[in-house]
């Protein structure tokens, strides 16, 4: 190879575009000085990554014109496969500058959509921590297939995705959800984590084409799920920060107007099942919550059977209220093959067990466990809670030889006798 030969410029244009797509936008633009042949490659790269803002000299005041200029300079027919906004903003701006900045950044999203972007990721980190307010009007694109929103506030308009008929994958993280409805006729994969749902009403979720659903560690009011006939897998975990708990420690309506958890439970609409009915088509379900989340216990009164469910993981919640959740699934999941139980070790659960010991009863017709192959109990050690679970399982038609206990000390065994366990 001759000294100084430019072999990179001889690469196919598709390869060069891929290389430019891996660079932050400002670095991709700088490649125009490498050689005459590089002057315009950046203008048609299929992916653009806008990163930074605070780190720029002049901050948002210089970064903004750069983004405007780059979007304007795109070659006329060059569509975008993906566009990534990863912005950090230090709010030393004046009170009138914040709305101006939000209008400008919202316009970037709309312009990316007009460029037929297929994958759009938008994240804003504001110091001090504030959600970035998206425009309260629907996103509209016939080409968008994947959308990721991080640290934004979404109101009714922007959370209606019916104007994005090709959208299949949506991820929301650390967002404020301020809408009574989220809707998409086409969405197949939905992941919502660490988001805040407004506390005095429920957000109705309508995703009839959804295949996979992750709803993990969110705060506020539990949303209301509509039927999802295509659902296959769901992972749901409620940790500490939810509003559906009774201040008086009840698992039903306490009747106290001062209890926000019960007072705002139903809201303006009268409905029966809030959450669990929307998951009934799943074949693989993971369901975990603290015992004082009473939505699940109330839902069981109205929820239809899980007629397709084959694998089920229950964490914490099922131990409270005389094992009602566990018994319900044993009798309403006829095709269940594997059941995994992760009981809570909280003092509250132990107290519940003391109050309701002996009250767990099998339903009138024990299940025929012909499909259930194994029940796995994952615990720290074999304590009173585990022994109670074994009795419940056995009383509801589960042979002990199908039950395996996995302790945190690595000791595993198959149950053949409750007393010896």
């Amino acid at each position: 190879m001759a000294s100084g030969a430019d072999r990179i410029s001889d690469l196919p244009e598709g390869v060069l575009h891929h290389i430019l797509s891996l660079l932050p936008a400002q670095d991709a633009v700088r490649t125009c000085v490498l050689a005459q042949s590089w002057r315009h490659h950046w203008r048609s790269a299929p992916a653009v990554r806008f990163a930074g803002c605070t780190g720029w000299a002049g901050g948002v005041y210089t970064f903004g014109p750069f983004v405007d200029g780059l979007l304007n300079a795109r070659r006329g027919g060059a569509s975008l496969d993906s566009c990534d906004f990863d912005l950090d903003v230090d709010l030393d701006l004046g009170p009138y500058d914040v709305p101006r900045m939000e209008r400008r950044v919202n316009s970037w999203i709309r312009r990316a959509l007009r460029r037929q972007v297929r994958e759009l990721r938008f994240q804003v980190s504001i110091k001090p921590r504030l959600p970035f307010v998206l425009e309260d009007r629907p996103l509209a694109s016939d080409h968008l297939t994947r959308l990721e929103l991080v640290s934004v506030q979404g109101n009714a308009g922007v959370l209606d995705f019916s104007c994005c008929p090709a959208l299949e994958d949506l991820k929301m993280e650390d967002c404020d959800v301020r809408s009574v409805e989220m809707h998409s006729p086409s969405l197949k994969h939905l992941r919502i984590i660490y988001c805040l749902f407004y506390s005095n009403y429920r957000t109705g979720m309508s995703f009839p084409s959804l295949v996979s659903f992750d709803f993990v560690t969110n705060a506020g009011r539990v949303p209301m799920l509509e039927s999802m006939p295509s659902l296959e897998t769901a992972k749901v975990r409620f940790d500490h920060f939810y509003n559906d708990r009774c201040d008086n420690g009840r698992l039903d309506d306490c009747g106290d107007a001062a209890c926000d958890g019960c007072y705002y439970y139903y809201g303006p609409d009268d409905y029966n099942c809030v959450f669990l009915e929307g998951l009934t088509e799943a074949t693989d379900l993971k369901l975990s919550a603290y015992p004082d989340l009473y939505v699940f216990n109330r839902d069981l009164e109205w929820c239809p059977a899980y007629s397709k469910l084959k694998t089920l993981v229950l964490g914490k919640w099922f131990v409270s209220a005389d094992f009602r959740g566990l018994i319900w699934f044993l009798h309403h999941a006829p095709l269940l093959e594997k059941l995994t139980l992760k009981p809570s070790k909280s003092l509250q659960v132990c107290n519940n067990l003391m109050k309701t010991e002996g009250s767990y009863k099998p339903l009138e017709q024990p299940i025929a466990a012909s499909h259930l192959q194994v029940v796995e109990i994952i615990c720290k050690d074999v304590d009173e809670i585990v022994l109670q679970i074994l009795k419940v399982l056995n009383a509801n038609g589960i042979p002990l030889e199908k039950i395996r206990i996995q302790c945190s000390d690595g000791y595993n065994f198959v149950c053949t006798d409750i007393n010896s366990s």
Side-chain angles (χ1 to χ4, degrees):
M1 182 176 68
S3 176
D6 180 7
R7 296 297 180 86
I8 295 180
S9 297
D10 293 333
L11 292 173
E13 186 177 49
V15 176
L16 296 178
H17 281 164
H18 178 70
I19 294 172
L20 292 174
S21 297
L22 300 176
L23 299 174
Q26 54 268 40
D27 293 333
V29 172
R30 291 189 183 108
T31 62
C32 68
V33 302
L34 295 178
Q36 182 69 22
S37 61
W38 282 77
R39 286 188 62 188
H40 300 295
H41 281 310
W42 62 272
R43 297 179 61 189
S44 52
V48 179
R49 296 178 55 230
F50 296 107
C53 195
T54 301
W56 280 59
V60 69
Y61 298 107
T62 57
F63 184 79
F66 167 76
V67 177
D68 290 335
L70 190 147
L71 292 175
N72 288 334
R74 293 279 302 177
R75 283 181 174 171
S79 60
L80 277 172
D81 287 341
S82 67
C83 186
D84 190 335
F85 292 93
D86 190 354
L87 312 178
D88 54 87
V89 179
D90 195 348
L91 279 187
D92 54 357
L93 306 175
Y96 299 105
D97 290 328
V98 175
R100 187 184 308 164
M101 180 197 70
E102 289 180 337
R103 285 194 299 270
R104 188 172 207 170
V105 175
N106 273 289
S107 74
W108 297 343
I109 297 176
R110 309 290 170 177
R111 293 166 71 182
L113 294 176
R114 287 197 294 269
R115 291 291 183 178
Q116 302 180 3
V117 65
R118 289 186 289 183
E119 297 186 6
L120 176 62
R121 179 177 180 269
F122 186 80
Q123 172 176 336
V124 180
S125 300
I126 300 179
K127 299 178 182 179
R129 197 277 181 194
L130 290 171
F132 182 89
V133 180
L134 294 178
E135 282 183 308
D136 192 14
R137 62 189 180 104
L139 302 176
S141 171
D142 291 332
H143 304 276
L144 186 67
T145 61
R146 186 176 186 277
L147 175 64
E148 182 175 343
L149 300 173
V150 183
S151 300
V152 303
Q153 177 179 305
N155 298 319
V158 76
L159 295 178
D160 179 0
F161 300 103
S162 56
C163 294
C164 295
L167 184 64
E168 295 187 351
D169 195 322
L170 172 63
K171 177 182 177 182
M172 297 178 64
E173 180 177 348
D174 196 29
C175 295
D176 282 8
V177 178
R178 301 263 179 150
S179 174
V180 295
E181 184 178 3
M182 293 179 63
H183 173 68
S184 169
S186 60
L187 199 66
K188 293 184 178 180
H189 307 285
L190 175 60
R191 180 171 173 80
I192 301 178
I193 57 176
Y194 302 111
C195 292
L196 173 63
F197 287 75
Y198 194 61
S199 60
N200 290 343
Y201 56 73
R202 298 198 188 280
T203 299
M205 291 186 173
S206 176
F207 301 108
S209 300
L210 206 64
V211 175
S212 67
F213 179 48
D214 282 8
F215 192 85
V216 178
T217 319
N218 298 295
R221 190 68 65 177
V222 175
M224 180 178 173
L225 298 185
E226 295 189 15
S227 175
M228 296 185 284
S230 300
L231 189 67
E232 295 178 2
T233 64
K235 178 181 180 182
V236 176
R237 187 177 76 232
F238 291 97
D239 287 339
H240 296 283
F241 305 107
Y242 43 79
N243 291 83
D244 285 301
R245 55 161 58 92
C246 176
D247 295 340
N248 299 307
R250 296 283 297 272
L251 292 177
D252 54 6
D253 190 354
C254 69
D256 184 355
C259 174
D260 287 346
C262 292
Y263 184 78
Y264 291 106
Y265 186 83
Y266 288 107
D269 299 319
D270 186 17
Y271 44 77
N272 295 322
C273 202
V274 172
F275 194 85
L276 291 183
E277 185 174 1
L279 306 176
T280 53
E281 300 298 324
T283 58
D284 184 352
L285 175 63
K286 297 179 175 66
L287 196 62
S288 177
Y290 279 83
D292 60 349
L293 176 71
Y294 54 57
V295 169
F296 291 168
N297 289 293
R298 293 190 186 187
D299 276 0
L300 294 181
E301 293 187 41
W302 310 100
C303 190
Y306 278 63
S307 59
K308 300 179 182 178
L309 191 64
K310 293 186 177 181
T311 61
L312 172 65
V313 179
L314 294 177
K316 301 178 182 179
W317 151 76
F318 73 92
V319 176
S320 67
D322 61 14
F323 299 98
R324 185 185 311 164
L326 172 58
I327 295 172
W328 189 94
F329 275 103
L330 290 175
H331 290 261
H332 292 83
L335 298 183
L336 190 64
E337 296 176 356
K338 181 179 181 182
L339 172 63
T340 301
L341 304 174
K342 299 180 178 180
S344 172
K345 297 291 293 183
S346 72
L347 180 61
Q348 178 181 358
V349 171
C350 293
N351 289 337
N352 284 342
L353 285 174
M354 294 301 107
K355 293 176 182 177
T356 62
E357 182 177 359
S359 65
Y360 50 85
K361 302 292 184 183
L363 299 187
E364 293 182 3
Q365 297 295 326
I367 66 168
S370 58
H371 289 87
L372 191 60
Q373 299 173 9
V374 62
V375 178
E376 183 179 43
I377 303 174
I378 300 177
C379 57
K380 183 177 180 181
D381 49 40
V382 179
D383 57 6
E384 177 189 359
I385 295 177
V386 174
L387 293 177
Q388 296 278 19
I389 292 171
L390 292 177
K391 292 178 181 179
V392 171
L393 292 172
N394 193 237
N396 285 271
I398 308 300
L400 291 179
E401 58 267 20
K402 291 188 176 183
I403 304 172
R404 292 171 172 77
I405 298 179
Q406 177 180 329
C407 298
S408 58
D409 60 5
Y411 182 59
N412 305 323
F413 58 91
V414 178
C415 299
T416 54
D417 188 288
I418 293 179
N419 295 324
S420 64
S421 299

